[in-house]
Amino acid sequence: MSVSIKTPQEIEKMRIAGRLTGEALDYITPFVKAGVTTNELDKLCHDYIVDMQRGIPAPLDYAPQGHAPYPKSICTSINHQVCHGMPGDKALKNGDIVNLDITVIKDGYHGDSSRMFYVGEPSIQARRLCETTWQALWRGIRSVRPGACLGDIGHAIQSFVEPLGYSVVREFCGHGIGKHFHETPQVLHYGRPRTGLKLEAGMTFTIEPMINAGKAATKRLGDGWTVVTKDHSLSAQYEHTILVTDTGFEVLTVSDGCPPPPPLR
Ligand code: MF3
Ligand code: CO
Ligand code: CO
């Protein structure tokens, strides 16, 4: 399958889906507190997306090959959970870090974004991991321009986090996005400069680095979805949906409550 170049009409729809995704993350933010269960967060997001946004939560019943249909509307990955954390009836507690990953379909197009949330006061190590992962996402984003390569994105992320003692998860990656949730290309969060697909204006894809405080290895839990670090070290992730523009990039999953880009340094 070749990588699609979105038309101006499609890009406008991607902007709308992207903004709604960011706004759903804004909406849920004040509910992320000690005592709330991830099932409650899932239900709140589901109802907001369906009733207020008139959108569709893409994860619900999503069934890629080798997986049972996903039974929830968002992913909630706590502490050593890397991604695809399945909401459940366990309550969040003080000191937890949790990733909420939301994908909204609007008018046939997808927006996909995730953020880390602190429950109460996180440990210094947990905060540092989350902040580093946010910076790593933006290193990746800032390497996007026509003529750059996918390997440049991966390299920007990997070369930033590994010297800090962190590791990049290999088994999951960013992805093309549009009419479909997961399109070509795969966007790896590690790599070598000047390698891989060359970027062109009109491409849309996610960047969503999963960064572990310990080793990179992961395993899937018995629920068929939730992915955790093998060594049970903490893991963090941030995700944005990106458009390649004539001059660089545009972040499509922006909203008023979206954390601002880190300063250039
Ligand atoms: N939102 C995830 C991503 O960023 C995919 C979740 S698939 C699900 O690609 F089925 F677990 F929701
Ligand atoms: Co994604
Ligand atoms: Co996502």
Side-chain angles (χ1 to χ4, degrees):
M1 212 159 69
S2 64
V3 176
S4 72
I5 303 296
K6 269 69 178 180
T7 65
Q9 291 76 14
E10 288 182 293
I11 289 168
E12 199 39 50
K13 292 183 182 188
M14 295 282 295
R15 281 195 187 101
I16 292 165
R19 177 166 290 279
L20 291 176
T21 304
E23 287 174 353
L25 284 164
D26 294 352
Y27 161 76
I28 200 62
T29 298
F31 295 100
V32 185
K33 285 193 172 142
V36 76
T37 69
T38 45
N39 266 341
E40 289 167 338
L41 298 177
D42 178 71
K43 165 98 170 94
L44 285 163
C45 287
H46 173 278
D47 291 353
Y48 181 76
I49 292 165
V50 170
D51 299 334
M52 307 299 286
Q53 299 186 324
R54 302 283 171 210
I56 301 167
L60 189 57
D61 294 323
Y62 185 61
Q65 249 206 334
H67 285 77
Y70 189 76
K72 304 286 177 174
S73 296
I74 65 170
C75 297
T76 56
S77 304
I78 307 167
N79 296 333
H80 71 294
Q81 297 179 351
V82 173
C83 64
H84 305 168
M86 179 99 79
D89 55 17
K90 231 178 79 186
L92 295 178
K93 57 181 195 313
N94 268 319
D96 284 346
I97 57 170
V98 59
N99 175 278
L100 301 186
D101 192 341
I102 297 187
T103 311
V104 175
I105 310 173
K106 182 71 176 183
D107 202 7
Y109 286 82
H110 292 69
D112 189 8
S113 184
S114 81
R115 298 177 197 160
M116 297 303 298
F117 296 83
Y118 303 138
V119 183
E121 203 51 45
S123 69
I124 288 164
Q125 296 93 315
R127 183 187 294 276
R128 181 170 165 267
L129 173 67
C130 294
E131 287 176 356
T132 300
T133 304
W134 175 244
Q135 288 182 11
L137 167 62
W138 271 93
R139 294 251 166 174
I141 291 173
R142 286 175 170 144
S143 65
V144 171
R145 64 185 71 88
C149 301
L150 283 178
D152 296 329
I153 301 174
H155 178 73
I157 294 166
Q158 182 181 21
S159 65
F160 176 62
V161 304
E162 284 184 351
L164 298 171
Y166 296 138
S167 58
V168 177
V169 169
R170 308 288 169 130
E171 295 93 339
F172 302 90
C173 56
H175 49 90
I177 183 168
K179 273 189 183 155
H180 303 280
F181 195 162
H182 294 105
E183 303 184 352
T184 53
Q186 295 198 31
V187 180
L188 304 182
H189 303 112
Y190 59 92
R192 284 179 295 119
R194 315 305 308 156
T195 63
L197 180 79
K198 209 200 260 191
L199 304 183
E200 290 173 45
M203 290 179 177
T204 51
F205 51 81
T206 71
I207 306 177
E208 49 181 299
M210 285 142 275
I211 306 300
N212 298 347
K215 297 210 168 91
T218 66
K219 63 180 185 195
R220 190 147 45 120
L221 294 186
D223 64 16
W225 281 97
T226 304
V227 176
V228 299
T229 54
K230 248 190 194 157
D231 63 8
H232 277 230
S233 62
L234 283 180
S235 187
Q237 178 179 32
Y238 281 88
E239 174 177 27
H240 266 317
T241 299
I242 307 296
L243 165 72
V244 185
T245 65
D246 290 326
T247 52
F249 64 85
E250 179 181 330
V251 178
L252 297 176
T253 35
V254 287
S255 62
D256 290 346
C258 171
L264 280 165
R265 43 174 216 105

